[in-house]
Structure formats: C-alpha cells, structure tokens
Amino acid sequence: MVNFNGNLVPADSFYLNHQNRGLRYGDALFETIRVANGQILFWEDHYLRLMASMRILRMEIPMEFTMEFLEEAIRNSLPPGKRDTASARVRCTVFRNEGGLYLPADNGVSYIIEAAPLDDPAYRLPTAPYEITLFRDYNITADLLSNVKTNNKILNVVGSIYARENGYDNCLLLNQHKHIVEALNGNLFLVKGNILKTPPLSDGCVNGILRKQILALLKKEGKQQPEESSISPFELQNADELFITNVIVGVQPISTYRKAKYGSGIAAEIVKHLNREAGLG
C-alpha cells in the first residue's frame, strides 16, 4: 500500500497524472527513512531536514505537517497489525502541487509515503568485496541545493549505469573543484590514522542523517578525531579505510579502489555503536 495525502491506495494504482511537477520539473524532494521494530530511527533529524529542505525550495509547509502528524502517517503506511514491530525502508516524497510552468501556480504540496519490508532491524556490516571508482563524466555543483535530497538524481542514475557497465559496485562523485563529494548512494568517510574525514557540506554533499549521527558519535567517544574537510582523489589510495554511509544500509566498507586495499575495523566499531544507540543490540 502507498499513503497518498493520507489515503492508503494499492501500490499499482494510478493516482498521479502527466501534470505532476515532480515528473515535469523534478520539483520534489524526499526522505529515505529506516524503521526498526516499529521505531522510526533518527526521526527528529529527518523531520528537521525535511522542513529545512522545503523552505530552501520555497514550498508552502502545511500547518498539519507537524512531527506527530508525519510520524503517524509513516506508521499508517506500515503493514496493519505490525506497526509496532515492523522493520521497513520508508520513502517520503513531497512535491509541489500541479499547475503552472517553471513558475508554479501555487506553492502547496502533496506527499507520498511508501514502505518496503527489511529482513533485519539491526545494522550489519557487509563483508563481501566492494570496489569503487571515480565518476568523471559529470560533476556535482557545490551549492546549497546540492545538500538537499531533491528528486533530480539523474547524475546518480547515469553514474550507477556507468558502475554496472564497468564492473564496479559504486562510484565517487566530484564537484567542480575536483574534490570528492560523496558516493552515488551515500556520504563518504576516509580513515587515516586517528583522523576520520568526510567532505564538508560546502563541497556539495547531501546533508546525510547518518553522517550527522556518526560525527556526533565520534565527538562523544573521542577515539577517532572527526574532520569535515575536502578530500582530493590523491588521498584515497593512502587511506586506511573508506566507507559509505546511509540510513538504510548503515555502513558500507569499501575494499578496493584501483590498486589500494582497505580494512574495515573502524567501520565495524561504528556499526556496533549505531546499533547500541538505536537500542538494536
């Protein structure tokens, strides 16, 4: 089932039309949310990011869009009878209402919430080999819009096709200054000694929810020194570890970039801390 403006409709229903602004202009944004044992992980951070993103896109935020309203809407999108126990990947899409050309007829919004089941509520560290490369065909433009999870993800789509065609698991994206920004599906962290670096928001990366959690965790634990600073492609081959983060997968260690091989000890520790903080064991 899909929650469309509070109405539960079958997933194969036709409830959008050709005038949808998300389809026409990419005039939409989204949040990808992990639900574990009925608990919406990092919900306050997701909500605040959604509200900030809507303001950046000059969308009119409905009065009813409170944390409690949207939390209940997400719970109503989970399977009936399992809303207190379900584990799911949830996508909440907000798009401006139809009407107008580039200039909208109004700034009101609609929303879609969809949920797909997850087999395991806890984060697990993937152990299979994971090889990456740089995607140099197109760049991310480093500005405020790049921090927002809009529906304009064509660069990520083309990069994903490039990775598949060339036998890679993922690609790292560059900005116009040739700094590493992020992976196709998450933020990047680089470990060198006791320093754990991630690109700053000013370099154009998405303002990731798990990125924020990990930076806060590192400051709290004090074992690794967090650093938000630009990463050049030359730094990758000298790193001790590289890993990608997003709220669904958690932490994805990178095993290979070109001839460099990486460990995953710090990534494994972070997964343990994330599960403990979320009450997942």
Side-chain angles (χ1 to χ4, degrees):
M1 301 294 287
V2 174
N3 187 330
F4 177 52
N5 285 340
N7 300 310
L8 295 179
V9 297
D12 58 355
S13 299
F14 293 97
Y15 51 88
L16 300 178
N17 64 37
H18 64 283
Q19 294 188 23
N20 177 268
R21 293 189 61 86
L23 172 64
R24 280 179 173 260
Y25 307 115
D27 191 3
L29 52 85
F30 68 99
E31 288 286 324
T32 308
I33 301 164
R34 185 181 180 105
V35 176
N37 295 331
Q39 175 188 357
I40 304 174
L41 300 188
F42 321 124
W43 170 232
E44 182 176 2
D45 287 331
H46 278 293
Y47 176 78
L48 293 177
R49 183 174 71 171
L50 177 62
M51 295 300 104
S53 298
M54 291 178 69
R55 290 187 184 97
I56 290 170
L57 297 188
R58 299 181 183 274
M59 291 177 168
E60 182 179 318
I61 300 176
M63 291 293 294
E64 68 268 20
F65 263 36
T66 63
M67 277 187 65
E68 294 75 18
F69 173 85
L70 290 175
E71 181 178 4
E72 184 65 19
I74 290 171
R75 293 193 181 282
N76 288 340
S77 304
L78 300 174
K82 298 182 179 180
R83 287 168 183 164
D84 294 329
T85 60
S87 295
R89 173 189 179 129
V90 173
R91 175 175 166 130
C92 179
T93 305
V94 177
F95 53 93
R96 217 179 311 259
N97 289 333
E98 65 186 51
L101 300 174
Y102 285 151
L103 178 64
D106 71 77
N107 284 329
V109 299
S110 294
Y111 67 90
I112 298 170
I113 300 174
E114 49 195 307
L118 290 176
D119 294 331
D120 194 335
Y123 287 119
R124 306 297 178 190
L125 188 75
T127 57
Y130 198 87
E131 185 174 3
I132 65 161
T133 190
L134 297 182
F135 184 58
R136 297 180 180 274
D137 291 3
Y138 308 103
N139 295 329
I140 288 176
T141 300
D143 58 27
L144 184 60
L145 282 179
S146 299
N147 303 149
V148 179
K149 291 191 70 171
T150 70
N151 277 26
N152 185 358
K153 293 295 181 183
I154 194 64
L155 191 157
N156 304 68
V157 171
V158 175
S160 297
I161 295 170
Y162 174 88
R164 181 181 62 188
E165 290 176 344
N166 290 278
Y168 295 104
D169 296 292
N170 210 324
C171 291
L172 300 183
L173 303 175
L174 301 166
N175 64 20
Q176 71 269 35
H177 308 298
K178 306 306 178 186
H179 294 150
I180 303 293
V181 177
E182 59 193 1
L184 292 168
N185 63 338
N187 293 109
L188 177 72
F189 284 84
L190 180 153
V191 180
K192 182 64 177 178
N194 71 331
I195 304 294
L196 202 157
K197 290 179 65 173
T198 192
L201 297 181
S202 58
D203 273 356
C205 64
V206 167
N207 187 10
I209 298 299
L210 208 62
R211 174 186 183 274
K212 179 181 178 181
Q213 297 296 321
I214 291 173
L215 288 173
L217 174 65
L218 293 171
K219 293 175 183 176
K220 177 182 176 182
E221 296 293 327
K223 295 180 181 179
Q224 296 291 129
Q225 181 178 336
E227 183 178 305
E228 296 181 70
S229 59
S230 297
I231 297 175
S232 74
F234 303 105
E235 293 180 70
L236 299 178
Q237 296 191 65
N238 294 319
D240 299 325
E241 291 186 38
L242 295 175
F243 56 85
I244 300 163
T245 64
N246 66 54
V247 293
I248 301 302
V249 174
V251 179
Q252 172 62 64
I254 294 168
S255 59
T256 309
Y257 167 67
R258 295 188 176 178
K259 295 182 179 180
K261 304 291 183 181
Y262 308 102
S264 59
I266 301 300
E269 287 298 314
I270 289 174
V271 169
K272 291 178 183 178
H273 284 300
L274 288 173
N275 283 327
R276 185 170 65 245
E277 291 290 323
L280 300 173

